[in-house]
């Protein structure tokens, strides 16, 4: 579902944010992307979503190259950044209907999906209100609803559990599983290592722009814990 091959991102001035990254996420798989702040996680996620340009390597979503066939790639991808930009002058329902129009979701399907996810996240009663009046948590839930209602084949999330209450976090974990059950895939970054260890089929750990550990979660963790493995790799990096 997602294939990243020798992806490198160098910013003007010569700073390399991501260096020769190669990994893949198969249908039915949740991949956790782990690393310190500034390691290159958000840069990579934005490139996968097609909102950040790059010149080296390739990224394909469902077989579509995000640079040469961006519309096809974006049509099957939903991206939720860590601080999503919402049209705050709109009501929640108007925002969801706008996105449904953009992605060609029928009236019947959008009504069913908005009701399903709105009720699940206890947001239905708030959808008629202006987004500007939402709390941070409510905005996060609206952004999640907007991504989930599209039924993407690839869901890309940057720190999705930040700002969510325990009930909403539990719901989100279930919905990520639903995407995989339908043959889709999930690629997300998180600092919540316990969640990643329990939820993810594969783990990719990035340090200073380079992939330092990648594989099935059980192989990466071994007899230890993901936290221990991550801290060990971090210490090793500082010693080099």
């Amino acid at each position: 579902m997602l294939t990243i091959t020798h992806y490198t991102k160098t910013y003007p001035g010569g700073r390399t944010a991501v260096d020769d990254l190669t990994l893949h996420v198969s249908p039915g798989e949740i991949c956790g992307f782990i690393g310190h702040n500034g390691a290159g996680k958000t840069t990579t996620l934005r490139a996968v979503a097609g909102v950040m340009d790059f010149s080296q390597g390739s990224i394909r979503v469902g077989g579509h190259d995000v640079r040469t066939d961006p519309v096809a790639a974006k049509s099957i991808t939903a991206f939720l950044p860590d601080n999503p930009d919402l049209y705050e002058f709109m009501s929640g329902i108007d925002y969801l209907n706008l996105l449904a129009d953009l992605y060609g979701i029928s009236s019947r399907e959008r009504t069913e999906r908005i009701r399903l996810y709105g009720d699940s996240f206890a947001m239905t009663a708030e959808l008629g209100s202006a987004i500007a009046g939402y709390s941070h948590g409510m905005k996060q839930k609206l952004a999640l609803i907007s991504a989930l209602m599209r039924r993407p084949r690839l869901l890309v999330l940057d720190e999705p559990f930040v700002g969510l209450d325990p009930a909403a976090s539990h719901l989100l974990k279930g919905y990520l599983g639903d995407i995989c059950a339908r043959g889709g895939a999930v690629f997300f970054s998180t600092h919540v290592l316990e969640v990643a260890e329990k939820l993810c089929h594969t783990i990719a750990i990035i340090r200073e722009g380079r992939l330092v550990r990648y594989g099935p979660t059980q192989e990466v963790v071994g007899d230890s814990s993901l936290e221990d493995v991550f801290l060990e790799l971090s210490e090793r990096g500082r010693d080099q």
Side-chain angles (χ1 to χ4, degrees):
M1 190 58 65
L2 170 64
T3 304
I4 303 174
T5 307
H6 301 300
Y7 163 64
T8 298
K9 174 63 180 181
T10 301
Y11 287 103
R15 184 177 73 85
T16 298
V18 183
D19 187 8
D20 197 32
L21 176 66
T22 295
L23 61 83
H24 70 274
V25 186
S26 300
E29 187 175 282
I30 300 175
C31 179
F33 199 34
I34 312 300
H36 287 298
N37 291 336
K41 303 187 303 299
T42 296
T43 298
T44 301
L45 296 180
R46 289 174 60 83
V48 169
V51 296
M52 176 173 284
D53 193 20
F54 61 97
S55 58
Q56 299 179 58
S58 69
I59 299 175
R60 302 179 71 85
V61 177
H64 305 290
D65 190 290
V66 301
R67 283 190 298 170
T68 61
D69 197 6
V71 174
K74 290 178 181 179
S75 70
I76 59 174
T77 305
F79 173 50
L80 187 65
D82 60 344
N83 188 22
D85 291 322
L86 305 173
Y87 296 128
E88 298 202 354
F89 64 91
M90 302 180 75
S91 68
I93 191 64
D94 286 343
Y95 177 75
L96 294 176
N97 276 318
L98 172 64
L99 291 185
D101 287 340
L102 289 173
Y103 287 93
I105 303 173
S106 69
S107 295
R108 181 182 61 81
E109 289 177 323
R110 76 178 65 180
T111 298
E112 292 176 353
R113 295 174 189 179
I114 290 172
R115 181 180 297 117
L116 168 64
Y117 298 122
D119 288 350
S120 295
F121 287 106
M123 282 290 294
T124 299
E126 309 296 337
L127 293 180
S129 302
I131 298 172
Y134 287 6
S135 67
H136 175 75
M138 291 167 64
K139 290 177 182 178
Q140 184 79 352
K141 290 176 183 179
L142 180 67
L144 284 171
I145 293 169
S146 73
L148 292 170
M149 76 172 188
R150 289 169 46 194
R151 301 288 169 88
R153 293 180 62 194
L154 176 68
L155 180 59
V156 181
L157 306 162
D158 195 358
E159 296 290 346
F161 297 100
V162 173
L164 292 182
D165 56 62
S169 294
H170 179 74
L171 279 169
L172 177 57
K173 294 171 191 175
Y175 285 132
L176 298 186
D178 290 345
I179 289 174
C180 292
R182 292 194 298 267
V186 179
F187 184 46
F188 78 101
S189 72
T190 183
H191 285 115
V192 188
L193 300 185
E194 289 183 4
V195 170
E197 184 173 348
K198 293 178 180 178
L199 188 63
C200 297
H201 303 98
T202 56
I203 296 290
I205 301 177
I206 189 172
R207 185 185 68 220
E208 296 179 352
R210 296 190 65 87
L211 194 66
V212 294
R213 188 69 62 86
Y214 169 59
T217 302
Q218 277 303 112
E219 291 184 10
V220 170
V221 173
D223 296 327
S224 187
S225 70
L226 182 56
E227 182 179 29
D228 289 339
V229 171
F230 179 72
L231 292 175
E232 178 187 345
L233 290 170
S234 299
E235 287 294 331
R236 190 182 304 170
R238 281 194 286 268
D239 292 339
Q240 292 177 348

